[in-house]
Amino acid sequence: MSPLIEIRNARKKFMGTPVLDGITLSIEAGERIAMLGPNGAGKTTLVRSMLGFYHLDEGEIRVMGKDPIRDRVEVLRHIGFIPQLPPPVKLSLDELLMYIERSTGTPKGAVIAQAERMALDVKQHASKPFFKLSGGMKQKLLIAIALARRSRLFVFDEPTASLDPKARELFYRLLSDLDYDYSAIYITHRLEELEGLINRKIYMELGKVVEDEPIAT
Ligand SMILES: Nc1ncnc2c1ncn2[C@@H]1O[C@H](COP(=O)(O)OP(=O)(O)O)[C@@H](O)[C@H]1O
Ligand SMILES: [Mg+2]
């Protein structure tokens, strides 16, 4: 079987500066990865390239055997992605959840139930535009959407950065409670929070993978 994600010699420059400097990685189904490294290391650029947001200058990425740019819809169908910065969505929460239900088949009620477990009352804010929520509330809703979709692969880009300690705890509890086999990539600066949730650790620096090792679970 082909790996979940295959990256071969990925290179990308932004304004002349290498941001991905020849990355080769293979990720198998069932792997749950902490991706670490200083700001500017290229972590966000790497995961966004896996999701078809960016063209590489050189090299190749395959996600479930597919090209994330050419087969973007198919690739994104299986991935629950939480971006580092919430998108500026103008839809109200109600409209957003309707849209998600129509486009992904994830029932609105399932998202509302997950949000409740993140201590976010969607119904109370149903007519509010998404972009007017606080940073933490946006993050909670994005988490609820991703988890409600029961994706095969989660990609979380610093998911707890804007969450208070209580919400962080709830988030990790929801992850531990997931009752199926999923794969995950967590970009984080807080490795200690991921204890028990990961089985591999990848450290990036200046666009390169400088450390890659398994973690006993
Ligand atoms: N869309 C972009 N346009 C120009 N430069 C970018 C863009 N995205 C990222 N960069 C630059 O690429 C480098 C790596 O960024 P990023 O992938 O966000 O790193 P990390 O997520 O590890 O902090 C940084 O120097 C950043 O300024
Ligand atoms: Mg980043």
Side-chain angles (χ1 to χ4, degrees):
M1 225 173 74
S2 65
L4 187 63
I5 298 173
E6 181 89 85
I7 302 172
R8 209 152 31 74
N9 188 33
R11 291 181 187 275
K12 177 151 191 75
K13 286 182 181 171
F14 279 125
M15 296 177 294
T17 307
V19 172
L20 302 179
D21 197 9
I23 291 189
T24 296
L25 266 184
S26 185
I27 299 173
E28 303 291 333
E31 289 200 292
R32 299 174 186 186
I33 296 171
M35 194 172 276
L36 304 149
N39 296 131
K43 306 179 298 295
T44 294
T45 304
L46 183 64
V47 299
R48 283 192 169 262
S49 302
M50 296 174 193
L51 300 166
F53 285 92
Y54 297 133
H55 282 270
L56 297 176
D57 300 336
E58 253 182 78
E60 208 175 58
I61 299 184
R62 288 290 174 272
V63 180
M64 299 165 199
K66 302 216 174 330
D67 180 327
I69 289 177
R70 209 180 45 222
D71 307 314
R72 185 135 193 251
V73 174
E74 178 61 18
V75 164
L76 292 182
R77 196 195 314 281
H78 301 291
I79 302 180
F81 173 53
I82 303 191
Q84 185 166 8
L85 296 171
V89 174
K90 292 211 181 79
L91 298 179
S92 71
L93 301 199
D94 203 37
E95 291 164 336
L96 177 62
L97 296 196
M98 290 300 285
Y99 169 76
I100 286 163
E101 178 164 318
R102 264 184 276 121
S103 58
T104 71
T106 307
K108 198 172 137 187
V111 178
I112 292 174
Q114 284 291 359
E116 227 161 75
R117 300 180 70 200
M118 282 298 299
L120 174 68
D121 184 348
V122 173
K123 285 183 181 144
Q124 195 193 325
H125 303 282
S127 55
K128 208 180 255 186
F130 177 81
F131 76 88
K132 287 202 173 158
L133 299 179
S134 75
M137 287 162 75
K138 286 178 194 165
Q139 201 65 0
K140 287 178 182 183
L141 188 63
L142 293 176
I143 288 168
I145 293 167
L147 296 183
R149 287 182 61 200
R150 296 178 67 82
S151 303
R152 281 167 63 185
L153 169 64
F154 293 109
V155 177
F156 296 133
D157 195 348
E158 303 197 28
T160 62
S162 60
L163 295 181
D164 62 46
K166 178 75 191 155
R168 252 176 230 160
E169 202 185 305
L170 291 172
F171 170 60
Y172 291 117
R173 184 167 322 147
L174 289 188
L175 285 167
S176 326
D177 285 353
L178 287 179
D179 57 357
Y180 67 98
D181 244 335
Y182 62 92
S183 308
I185 299 172
Y186 304 90
I187 295 178
T188 184
H189 294 294
R190 305 162 179 267
L191 182 61
E192 69 285 355
E193 286 184 2
L194 292 171
E195 209 187 322
L197 286 170
I198 52 168
N199 51 27
R200 182 174 174 186
K201 176 174 91 166
I202 291 174
Y203 194 90
M204 281 181 69
E205 229 171 70
L206 298 173
K208 289 185 160 72
V209 170
V210 293
E211 214 182 293
D212 182 353
E213 52 189 47
I215 292 183
T217 46

